[in-house]
């Protein structure tokens, strides 16, 4: 986009750093981060609501020099090849509802053992049983960030949602034996790829599908080809041949014999993309399949707005962050080894630490997920956060709730607003300031909401979602057993 002018103004003792962002939809807002002359960090961000610019043009930031870097774009923005028209308040409600389905499916997957026990004793609610397939090992793919990779020989470009909460990579495939939903790009045709091969039913790779998808693979009798099936909590699914083909990340990063699902029966609301790039921790995820090459190290930066771009890099911590990467130990949840877990110990709002005991977060556990939009907290912690945020925002008129977001403000009468900074305290003594774009979710300027929600139970796992990760360089150093965060990874 013709980058709206971002002025660096020096006013007596104030230096304003100006950042441009837009909140999920076609609005651009300007943020000023203030620091005083003594370099004491301020506990607020000054947000300039100077313009409601529909961002219809993509402003591409440079992808890091490292070879194995992919451009990350928002599914609903002008930088996406598969994007639809600009999104409405109705779409926001839908995105947030789908996000809630994803969170439910994550909780169901983590509670699988106890759910099975509950079902056996007849305690499972009908509603849960209908919305979450009992056997589902997959979480709903509501993820909204897309990368473009090449598949096959010659390579064909496909836009895939990248998802650290999923393991199996899959795409729709010709001849769509049963069904394909409409996608913007040409559907991949394995018969036109010289490097394509089917995985046999008897191979160890085929047996691995059970833990990655929750479903026992079946076998196509004609050619003894392994058949995967994956269903999501929102009743979408993909069934097809488990296959191998060449995956091209960049001209010098070509992965041969990459295992993925070649979908022949695909249904669901997949928003035009060809589907999923699985970055979870199971053996068949891209991260594990490339463990030799990239040493289980990858990093990404999610852009501040749908009209700017971020990146996803393999084999590097990336090097763009303006500040050093701060690390926190990576852990594993006993209920599922697929998720990336970390420890949240506390949260502060405008410099005030919430009086919520660290044990509350520790007993629930926390995962970091690229596919969950809104951060979910134990309800006790969320209500403390919301209460403190409202208190510090008390001069602004409130607005009705937006789906799962209940702390909203009508800011349409303002040029500038001052919002409290929010910081997360992670295990290992790591404090991370969220970017201003990681605090608010705006449907419109008359409905700007705190971008957090509470779980229904303090015992449910908390999720550090993708709004909160915006502009942070997030490093997954699996070998090193740590997750890192750097400020200013992208704009
Ligand atoms: C893969 O298996 C399917 C199902 O049996 C078959 O139709 C297809 O021709 C096979 N493809 C290759 C390249 O062997
Ligand atoms: C928001 O505030 C503006 C200006 O104060 C007012 O005109 C408008 O009706 C309000 N909108 C809502 C949805 O409350």
């Amino acid at each position: 986009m013709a980058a709206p002018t971002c002025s660096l103004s020096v006013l007596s003792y104030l230096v304003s750093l100006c950042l441009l962002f837009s909140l999920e939809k076609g609005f651009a807002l300007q943020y000023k981060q203030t620091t005083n002359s003594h370099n004491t960090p301020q506990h607020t961000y000054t947000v300039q609501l100077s313009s409601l610019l529909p961002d219809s043009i993509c402003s591409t930031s440079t992808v890091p020099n490292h070879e194995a870097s992919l451009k990350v774009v928002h599914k609903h923005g002008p930088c996406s090849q598969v994007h639809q028209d600009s999104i409405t308040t109705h779409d926001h409600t839908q995105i947030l509802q789908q996000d809630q389905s994803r969170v439910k499916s994550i909780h169901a997957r983590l509670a699988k053992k106890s759910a099975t026990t509950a079902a056996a004793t007849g305690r499972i609610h009908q509603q849960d049983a209908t919305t979450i397939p009992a056997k589902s090992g997959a979480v709903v793919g509501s993820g909204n960030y897309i990368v473009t990779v090449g598949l096959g020989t010659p390579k064909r470009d496909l836009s895939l949602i990248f998802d650290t909460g999923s393991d199996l990579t899959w795409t729709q495939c010709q001849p769509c034996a049963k069904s394909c939903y409409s996608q913007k790009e040409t559907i991949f045709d394995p018969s036109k790829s010289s490097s394509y091969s089917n995985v046999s039913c008897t191979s160890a790779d085929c047996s691995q599908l059970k833990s990655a998808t929750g479903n026992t693979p079946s076998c196509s009798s004609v050619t003894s080809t392994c058949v995967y099936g994956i269903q999501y909590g929102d009743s979408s699914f993909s069934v097809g041949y488990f296959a191998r083909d060449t995956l091209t990340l960049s001209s010098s990063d070509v992965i041969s014999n990459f295992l993925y699902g070649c979908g022949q029966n695909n249904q669901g609301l997949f928003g035009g993309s060809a589907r999923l790039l699985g970055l979870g921790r199971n053996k068949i995820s891209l991260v594990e399949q490339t463990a030799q090459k990239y040493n289980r190290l990858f990093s990404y930066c999610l852009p501040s707005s749908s009209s700017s771009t971020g990146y996803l890099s393999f084999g590097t911590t990336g090097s763009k962050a303006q500040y050093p990467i701060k690390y926190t130990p990576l852990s594993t949840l006993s209920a599922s080894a697929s998720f990336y877990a970390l420890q949240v110990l506390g949260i502060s709002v405008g410099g005030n630490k919430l009086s919520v005991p660290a044990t509350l977060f520790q007993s629930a556990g926390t995962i970091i997920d690229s596919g969950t939009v809104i951060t979910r907290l134990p309800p006790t912690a969320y209500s403390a956060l919301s209460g403190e945020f409202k208190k510090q925002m008390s001069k602004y008129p409130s607005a009705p709730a937006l789906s799962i977001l209940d702390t909203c403000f009508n800011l349409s009468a303002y040029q500038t607003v001052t919002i409290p900074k929010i910081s997360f305290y992670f295990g290992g003594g790591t404090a991370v300031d969220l970017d201003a774009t990681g605090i608010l979710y705006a449907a419109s300027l008359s409905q700007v909401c705190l971008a957090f929600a509470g779980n229904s139970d303090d015992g449910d796992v908390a999720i550090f979602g993708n709004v909160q990760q915006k502009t942070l360089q997030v490093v997954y150093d699996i070998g090193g057993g740590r997750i890192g965060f750097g400020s200013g990874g992208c704009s």
Side-chain angles (χ1 to χ4, degrees):
M1 101 187 333
T5 39
C6 212
S7 58
L8 187 76
S9 51
V10 182
L11 298 167
S12 55
Y13 292 105
L14 288 178
V15 177
S16 304
L17 281 175
C18 180
L19 304 161
L20 176 80
F21 89 115
S22 95
L23 299 165
E24 299 295 326
K25 82 165 292 187
F27 290 121
L29 308 174
Q30 285 185 327
Y31 271 127
K32 275 184 184 169
Q33 183 172 354
T34 52
T35 325
N36 67 15
S37 60
H38 308 295
N39 271 333
T40 317
Q42 297 287 298
H43 295 303
T44 57
Y45 286 113
T46 302
V47 183
Q48 293 239 307
L49 306 172
S50 54
S51 52
L52 280 178
L53 302 173
D55 39 6
S56 54
I57 301 164
C58 177
S59 73
T60 306
S61 12
T62 44
V63 168
N65 277 334
H66 188 267
E67 290 293 347
S69 281
L70 302 165
K71 198 165 77 177
V72 169
V73 302
H74 195 284
K75 187 166 75 183
H76 294 292
C79 300
S80 161
Q81 285 164 23
V82 299
H83 100 281
Q84 304 125 341
D85 303 327
S86 65
I87 64 171
T88 63
T89 303
H90 172 73
D91 296 327
H92 283 295
T93 306
Q94 220 170 36
I95 288 168
L96 295 171
Q97 270 161 7
Q98 208 179 2
D99 197 44
Q100 187 62 8
S101 299
R102 180 183 178 92
V103 168
K104 268 189 172 180
S105 65
I106 289 173
H107 288 155
R109 183 170 166 185
L110 290 173
K112 226 158 93 183
K113 271 190 192 141
S114 45
T116 311
T117 317
T121 56
R123 281 189 284 114
I124 202 157
H125 298 297
Q126 185 57 33
Q127 191 198 354
D128 295 338
T130 51
T131 52
I132 313 290
K135 270 176 41 173
S136 175
V139 298
V140 180
S142 72
N144 44 12
Y145 290 98
I146 285 177
V147 291
T148 301
V149 298
L151 187 64
T153 311
K155 84 177 171 82
R156 178 119 256 153
D157 281 349
L158 296 172
S159 296
L160 303 178
I161 286 166
F162 81 91
D163 188 354
T164 60
S166 293
D167 297 305
L168 177 70
T169 295
W170 65 269
T171 187
Q172 301 202 97
C173 275
Q174 293 286 8
C176 299
K178 203 78 184 268
S179 161
C180 281
Y181 55 86
S182 82
Q183 70 176 48
K184 299 256 163 115
E185 293 157 317
T186 311
I187 293 173
F188 183 70
D189 186 349
S191 73
K192 294 199 174 126
S193 171
S194 62
S195 46
Y196 176 92
S197 65
N198 285 327
V199 169
S200 139
C201 301
T202 53
S203 80
D205 295 321
C206 187
S207 348
Q208 193 62 40
L209 281 171
K210 170 87 171 100
S211 64
T213 63
N215 295 315
T216 307
S218 54
C219 193
S220 155
S221 51
V222 195
T223 51
S224 186
T225 295
C226 180
V227 175
Y228 75 92
I230 190 159
Q231 80 262 47
Y232 299 92
D234 62 352
S235 78
S236 52
F237 61 83
S238 173
V239 178
Y241 305 127
F242 198 34
R244 289 180 178 279
D245 208 338
T246 300
L247 180 72
T248 302
L249 300 177
S250 74
S251 53
S252 58
D253 285 85
V254 178
I255 298 144
S256 44
N257 293 315
F258 178 70
L259 285 164
Y260 70 101
C262 203
Q264 296 294 337
N265 186 8
N266 313 282
Q267 257 168 53
L269 294 165
F270 293 125
S273 75
R275 219 33 205 169
L276 205 82
L277 189 68
L279 296 178
R281 303 177 75 178
N282 184 280
K283 267 200 172 145
I284 64 164
S285 78
L286 173 60
V287 180
E288 289 300 318
Q289 287 194 56
T290 58
Q292 295 262 303
K293 193 174 169 72
Y294 300 125
N295 204 20
R296 296 186 178 88
L297 176 65
F298 68 99
S299 57
Y300 60 69
C301 187
L302 306 178
S304 60
S305 87
S306 62
S307 61
S308 51
T309 61
Y311 57 84
L312 168 65
S313 303
F314 294 92
T316 173
T317 59
S319 54
K320 281 199 75 183
Q322 291 163 8
Y323 304 99
I325 309 287
K326 299 188 221 172
Y327 288 95
T328 184
L330 169 68
S331 56
T332 301
L333 299 174
S334 53
S336 170
S338 267
F339 294 112
Y340 296 98
L342 38 67
Q343 218 174 44
V344 171
L345 299 175
I347 299 171
S348 70
V349 178
N352 293 347
K353 194 116 179 233
L354 301 179
S355 62
V356 171
T359 49
L360 180 79
F361 294 104
Q362 287 169 306
S363 60
T366 305
I367 61 167
I368 177 167
D369 183 23
S370 71
T372 297
V373 179
I374 301 293
T375 288
R376 300 304 200 284
L377 298 173
T380 304
Y382 174 70
S383 84
L385 171 68
S386 165
E388 183 63 30
F389 194 79
K390 273 186 202 149
K391 198 169 113 193
Q392 296 187 33
M393 292 281 286
S394 58
K395 64 185 260 206
Y396 301 110
S398 61
L402 174 68
S403 179
I404 56 167
L405 307 178
D406 65 8
T407 304
C408 304
F409 304 89
N410 178 353
L411 303 178
S412 58
Y414 295 84
Q415 300 282 307
T416 307
V417 295
T418 301
I419 64 165
K421 278 190 183 175
I422 295 182
S423 307
F424 268 66
Y425 298 88
F426 293 106
T430 295
V432 175
D433 288 347
L434 304 186
D435 189 66
T437 59
I439 296 173
L440 298 174
Y441 189 102
S444 68
L445 277 200
S446 58
Q447 202 177 22
V448 180
C449 304
L450 175 65
F452 288 83
N455 281 330
S456 51
D457 190 292
D458 272 344
D460 289 337
V461 76
I463 304 169
F464 192 65
N466 66 36
V467 167
Q468 281 63 40
Q469 296 172 43
K470 282 181 176 184
T471 78
L472 294 174
Q473 182 170 317
V474 186
V475 177
Y476 291 69
D477 178 5
I478 319 309
R482 56 188 193 161
I483 300 272
F485 298 96
S487 297
C490 58
S491 53

